[in-house]
Amino acid sequence: MNKPMMFILFMSILLSACGSQPSWENEEIAAASDRIMADNVETRWTIEDGQTSEPGREALIRLEIRKDGGKPIEAFDINHEKLLHLIVISKDLSYFNHVHPEYKGNGVFEIANDFPAGGEYRLIADFKPTGGDSMTKMEWVKLGGEPAAPIPVVPDANWDKTVEGKRVRLSIDRLGVNEDTTLSFFFTDGKTGQPVTDLQPYLGAIGHVVILSEDGERYVHVHAEKGQGTGPNAVFETRFPKSGVYKIWGQFQVDNHVFTVPYVVNVP
Ligand SMILES: [Cu+2]
């Protein structure tokens, strides 16, 4: 081997040594920058109107989840027992549905939904790509057909509701902007007044609470406190981002049946 060849061989060994030594560091950096964050995720929503006659109409909701480069996100982690949680709310907040679309592969989720009328709906998806953050993506969609007459969103005079035979009283310890607060639901039997002590876990917690601002723009995150029993109390933690009117939907399960209790509150 001549001298220039020796030199090239030596340099290439040196370079490959330099290149290989910190490669685990490079991988870590790559992994960190590959971490899927909400800002790097795009969702494309489509609604395929069914052929059913009004007022009730079934339509297929399709959600494609992609990285901002356009590649589908393939893998999702189970979060609260499901790969994806979808909330469907009418523009006037009178209609609420919480469903779990089927994963079709290639970042596509689908579910048929029975909409009460045409018009605008807020779709809210909660999911966690594998190796990424938990995230929420929201979209307004418009369904063909005649919209229902809007029902005004009016703050409740009291937070004492009876739904499907259960009396549910809500108390909120601090109702202010950007304050950590707790929502406590207290359950009694609507007829006997006896405390309800047989709440069943729903999606891995004592219940599920959704909060949306009156204009549909702010979806407020709520967490059930850990280690709760089976009633008569269910406690959740949250924080309201801005003053205004919000609707709260509490979902609970008794006798393998989920019921939804709505409240409207004004955050001063
Ligand atoms: Cu869900």
Side-chain angles (χ1 to χ4, degrees):
M1 204 178 277
N2 59 26
K3 272 194 174 162
M5 279 299 286
M6 284 280 285
F7 178 75
I8 288 164
L9 187 66
F10 173 75
M11 281 308 286
S12 64
I13 289 165
L14 194 71
L15 283 171
S16 70
C18 290
S20 67
Q21 191 195 358
S23 72
W24 59 272
E25 277 176 14
N26 292 342
E27 272 164 31
E28 243 178 32
I29 291 161
S33 63
D34 278 358
R35 183 166 182 86
I36 304 165
M37 292 177 292
D39 286 350
N40 310 121
V41 174
E42 265 177 22
T43 46
R44 297 177 195 183
W45 301 80
T46 44
I47 300 286
E48 282 171 31
D49 264 327
Q51 307 304 312
T52 49
S53 58
E54 293 181 58
R57 44 170 57 232
E58 194 182 84
L60 187 74
I61 301 171
R62 189 163 188 272
L63 169 59
E64 280 184 76
I65 304 175
R66 297 166 176 258
K67 289 188 193 159
D68 52 9
K71 262 183 125 181
I73 292 173
E74 305 271 355
F76 299 86
D77 291 341
I78 289 179
N79 188 17
H80 289 286
E81 300 185 351
K82 304 288 176 182
L83 290 178
L84 185 138
H85 302 262
L86 176 67
I87 308 290
V88 184
I89 296 176
S90 59
K91 189 172 170 57
D92 68 355
L93 313 189
S94 65
Y95 168 80
F96 171 95
N97 202 12
H98 173 177
V99 290
H100 302 109
E102 189 186 338
Y103 186 43
K104 299 294 209 181
N106 262 330
V108 174
F109 288 85
E110 280 183 0
I111 192 163
N113 191 64
D114 250 321
F115 290 88
E120 282 184 90
Y121 290 85
R122 195 56 151 158
L123 303 182
I124 303 163
D126 270 321
F127 55 91
K128 184 184 178 299
T130 300
D133 295 339
S134 291
M135 56 188 75
T136 302
K137 293 286 178 179
M138 310 203 286
E139 184 71 292
W140 287 107
V141 294
K142 196 168 184 184
L143 206 64
E146 198 58 32
I151 298 168
V153 186
V154 180
D156 292 320
N158 61 63
W159 303 333
D160 185 342
K161 301 286 176 87
T162 298
V163 169
E164 299 182 36
K166 274 82 160 178
R167 185 174 174 191
V168 189
R169 276 167 280 181
L170 167 65
S171 51
I172 302 179
D173 70 345
R174 274 184 302 276
L175 203 52
V177 175
N178 275 329
E179 288 201 68
D180 289 328
T181 188
T182 58
L183 313 180
S184 305
F185 298 85
F186 182 73
F187 300 82
T188 50
D189 186 290
K191 282 202 186 88
T192 66
Q194 287 300 304
V196 172
T197 55
D198 58 351
L199 284 178
Q200 294 168 324
Y202 172 53
L203 300 170
I206 194 162
H208 189 267
V209 175
V210 169
I211 305 179
L212 192 67
S213 61
E214 182 184 23
D215 60 4
E217 295 302 328
R218 267 170 282 273
Y219 176 71
V220 183
H221 283 272
V222 185
H223 298 281
E225 280 188 359
K226 293 241 177 340
Q228 301 191 60
T230 57
N233 275 297
V235 183
F236 299 80
E237 290 160 2
T238 195
R239 179 183 263 260
F240 293 95
K242 209 178 169 212
S243 63
V245 173
Y246 291 81
K247 190 155 182 176
I248 300 172
W249 294 265
Q251 296 194 285
F252 305 96
Q253 184 171 310
V254 171
D255 292 335
N256 301 318
H257 174 73
V258 177
F259 59 99
T260 303
V261 200
Y263 301 87
V264 178
V265 305
N266 183 36
V267 177

